[in-house]
Amino acid sequence: MSSPASDGAPPAAPPPPQEQDAQPPPPPEFDTSLFPAPPAFYHRYTDAEANLAPPPNVDWIVQDGSYTVFGETWPVEETTPTLHEMGVPEMFDPNEDRKLSLQSLLRTLILTYTQLLDALLTPPPSLAHPEPTLPTDPERLTEHMRLICINMHYLVNELRPVQARETLKAMMQSQIDLRRRKTAAIKQKCASITAQLAALQAQTAEAANARPPPKSHDRLDPSPAEAAATAAQEALDIFAKLRARAADTVVS
């Protein structure tokens, strides 16, 4: 029995390979090129993949009341949690002044820190010293310091409104002082200009009095001295009005 190849017929072509999704080659273990290729999973974030993925549902976040960012859960409505909600014991008197409580916690923190240093410097127990007199529990002291710091942070957060109110008072007081200094400088300058105009008016009046009376056939035009005196008087009137207006503005 003859085969198809022996009959002179051309051999059958092999079946075409099945189309497969082209996968990017795995990145080398150490890529030292100046422009390294993107990571292998970049094809998951193409436009086609983004269109297939459903958008995040904001209503679910609102219903849950919290969201997660970088592994930490945050509430939708930001509120300051209490020490009881954080599982931290309260180490101060709630009815005491916050400043006194902070000072007391600071002294406790310094004392605990010195005890921690003593505990770290204490040699381990041995036959010569079976029971050391100084504390040798660094973990307990470190945890105690952590709780003290959390309590201090909580008290500082309670003083934020007081700080904001005092900062606003300081800003408003500085603005008032600046306006008062500017008003005083304007008044001083107005007084200086008024004195100069008064001196100029007196000089022009003296010059006008020293001039001989005009003859009947002379022109009745005012002399330069008289014109200067008139201008000085008008300037004095204008400055008087400006000073009165500035005084009304400061009072209001």
Side-chain angles (χ1 to χ4, degrees):
M1 183 175 180
S2 61
S3 61
S6 61
D7 295 341
Q18 297 180 356
E19 295 183 359
Q20 297 180 356
D21 296 337
Q23 298 292 337
E29 185 176 359
F30 297 101
D31 193 354
T32 58
S33 62
L34 295 177
F35 301 98
F41 52 83
Y42 75 93
H43 60 279
R44 302 177 186 174
Y45 302 96
T46 59
D47 295 338
E49 294 290 338
N51 294 330
L52 293 177
N57 194 343
V58 183
D59 296 336
W60 294 349
I61 300 176
V62 176
Q63 291 176 4
D64 294 341
S66 61
Y67 58 94
T68 304
V69 178
F70 298 112
E72 296 186 2
T73 303
W74 298 88
V76 176
E77 296 182 359
E78 295 186 1
T79 56
T80 303
T82 61
L83 294 176
H84 180 70
E85 294 175 355
M86 292 187 294
V88 177
E90 196 173 87
M91 306 177 66
F92 58 91
D93 187 5
N95 300 324
E96 192 179 8
D97 188 9
R98 294 294 181 260
K99 295 181 181 179
L100 299 178
S101 299
L102 283 172
Q103 293 177 359
S104 177
L105 289 174
L106 180 59
R107 288 192 293 267
T108 306
L109 180 63
I110 295 174
L111 178 61
T112 308
Y113 180 71
T114 56
Q115 292 178 357
L116 177 62
L117 294 179
D118 293 338
L120 294 175
L121 294 175
T122 302
S126 60
L127 296 177
H129 304 281
E131 294 182 359
T133 56
L134 297 176
T136 57
D137 192 1
E139 294 182 357
R140 178 180 59 83
L141 296 175
T142 304
E143 179 65 18
H144 188 59
M145 292 176 61
R146 187 183 72 86
L147 296 178
I148 293 174
C149 293
I150 293 176
N151 278 264
M152 294 179 67
H153 192 206
Y154 180 79
L155 290 177
V156 169
N157 285 335
E158 286 190 348
L159 292 177
R160 296 293 184 187
V162 180
Q163 179 188 10
R165 186 163 52 250
E166 295 299 327
T167 303
L168 181 59
K169 288 181 181 179
M171 292 175 59
M172 295 178 66
Q173 186 64 37
S174 63
Q175 292 179 3
I176 292 174
D177 295 340
L178 179 61
R179 292 182 180 180
R180 287 178 177 175
R181 289 195 298 269
K182 288 183 177 180
T183 304
I186 292 174
K187 289 182 178 180
Q188 183 179 2
K189 193 65 176 178
C190 289
S192 175
I193 295 175
T194 303
Q196 293 179 3
L197 290 176
L200 180 60
Q201 185 180 14
Q203 293 176 3
T204 53
E206 292 177 359
N209 294 330
R211 181 186 177 188
K215 298 180 181 180
S216 58
H217 60 275
D218 292 339
R219 297 180 59 184
L220 298 178
D221 296 336
S223 63
E226 293 176 352
T230 304
Q233 184 62 37
E234 293 178 355
L236 284 174
D237 296 339
I238 293 173
F239 268 98
K241 294 179 181 179
L242 291 176
R243 291 180 63 182
R245 185 177 299 178
D248 295 340
T249 304
V250 172
V251 171
S252 60

